[in-house]
Amino acid sequence: MYKIATMNLTLDINNSEQLSSICGSFDRHLETIAKSLDVQINNIGEDFTLQGDNQHIAARVLQDLLALSDSKSIEIHDVEMAIKMYSRQDLPEKVVNIKTKRKFIHIRSKNQQKYVLDIKNKDCIFGIGPAGTGKTYLAVARAVEALESSEVRRLILVRPAVEAGEKLGFLPGDMTEKVDPYLRPIYDALYEMLGFDKVEKLLEKNIIEVAPRLYARSYTE
């Protein structure tokens, strides 16, 4: 007798409004996921039961919607986009998340999964894409994870200091003040994952160095 695969999933939901945003009016979003992926979805509050061969894909879609619901109300097109992102052929073979002592980072999309896997497994990669897609944040997170697990002894984090045709000479202040706005995403990610005091100590000891790309020195050991 064939047994239907069942998966239990608990989402870290903050309030009833967020739960309603994810499930949709009259569970419309859940019905869309169930129909598109040929799964059954039932929930009691934040506890979900998923049944069907594509239950793991449905779970990823729900987790993506959870992450998205922190910043906006979920619409049906958000649900459809999340489903399209997770076609069975495009899923990475190995699921990767990033764990630091202060934060667990759920990797949202297949492109981000591939990006983080490549950072982990390859000596050099190039990540391109629009602002807000996690290029800097995930790279810093992976670097912090490597430092905390003693995979590396030192971090040199660099980022372009000139964007959109601007020149540093037109910005007021000394060199630090000129480049600080461009390096701020790196510092913000470091503070979130390590804490302000620890980041300052690691910077002081030169275990972490943050620099604009054009002014970064080359290192040999």
Side-chain angles (χ1 to χ4, degrees), residues 178-189:
K178 289 176 186 293
V179 302
D180 184 72
Y182 301 104
L183 303 181
R184 180 53 48 189
I186 292 179
Y187 284 110
D188 288 343

Side-chain angles (χ1 to χ4, degrees), residues 38 45 57 109 112 138 163 166 180 214:
D38 193 23
I57 302 177
S109 71
Q112 290 178 334
L138 292 176
E163 298 178 1
E166 298 167 348
D180 184 72
L214 293 178

Side-chain angles (χ1 to χ4, degrees), residues 2-203:
Y2 178 73
K3 185 177 180 180
I4 299 177
T6 301
M7 177 181 182
N8 295 319
L9 173 70
T10 298
L11 298 181
D12 186 14
I13 293 175
N14 297 321
N15 50 57
S16 59
E17 289 78 11
Q18 187 178 25
L19 177 62
S20 177
S21 178
I22 293 171
C23 295
S25 178
F26 300 104
D27 289 341
R28 181 188 178 195
H29 297 166
L30 297 184
E31 290 176 1
T32 299
I33 298 170
K35 183 177 180 180
S36 299
L37 298 176
D38 193 23
V39 297
Q40 295 180 16
I41 303 177
N42 296 290
N43 76 295
I44 300 176
E46 62 185 10
D47 296 318
F48 290 75
T49 300
L50 312 174
Q51 291 184 316
D53 292 338
N54 293 328
Q55 57 178 292
H56 292 287
I57 302 177
R60 292 192 191 184
V61 170
L62 288 171
Q63 288 168 333
D64 274 12
L65 296 179
L66 172 65
L68 188 61
S69 68
D70 286 333
S71 58
K72 69 183 294 287
S73 179
I74 304 298
E75 304 291 343
I76 191 64
H77 65 82
D78 297 316
V79 179
E80 293 169 347
M81 183 63 68
I83 294 170
K84 289 179 181 178
M85 192 179 297
Y86 284 111
S87 66
R88 296 184 67 179
Q89 293 79 11
D90 291 337
L91 284 174
E93 294 181 0
K94 181 180 179 182
V95 177
V96 173
N97 292 304
I98 298 176
K99 297 179 182 179
T100 69
K101 291 180 180 178
R102 289 174 59 101
K103 195 170 182 66
F104 176 84
I105 301 167
H106 166 65
I107 309 301
R108 291 176 50 190
S109 71
K110 64 180 180 64
N111 285 333
Q112 290 178 334
Q113 285 276 337
K114 186 176 187 304
Y115 179 54
V116 172
L117 277 171
D118 285 345
I119 291 175
K120 185 178 181 67
N121 297 327
K122 298 181 180 180
D123 292 332
C124 179
I125 70 165
F126 294 88
I128 59 174
T133 52
K135 300 184 300 299
T136 297
Y137 185 84
L138 292 176
V140 173
R142 174 63 192 123
V144 170
E145 182 184 49
L147 183 66
E148 290 185 338
S149 62
S150 300
E151 293 179 47
V152 299
R153 292 177 295 170
R154 188 170 179 226
L155 300 181
I156 303 171
L157 304 172
V158 297
R159 196 168 191 264
V162 180
E163 298 178 1
E166 298 167 348
K167 297 182 179 180
L168 295 179
F170 292 113
L171 298 176
D174 58 21
M175 182 56 66
T176 299
E177 292 172 324
K178 289 176 186 293
V179 302
D180 184 72
Y182 301 104
L183 303 181
R184 180 53 48 189
I186 292 179
Y187 284 110
D188 288 343
L190 287 172
Y191 294 148
E192 182 177 335
M193 294 167 203
L194 292 171
F196 181 84
D197 291 338
K198 186 169 184 179
V199 170
E200 293 303 307
K201 289 179 181 178
L202 293 174
L203 289 170

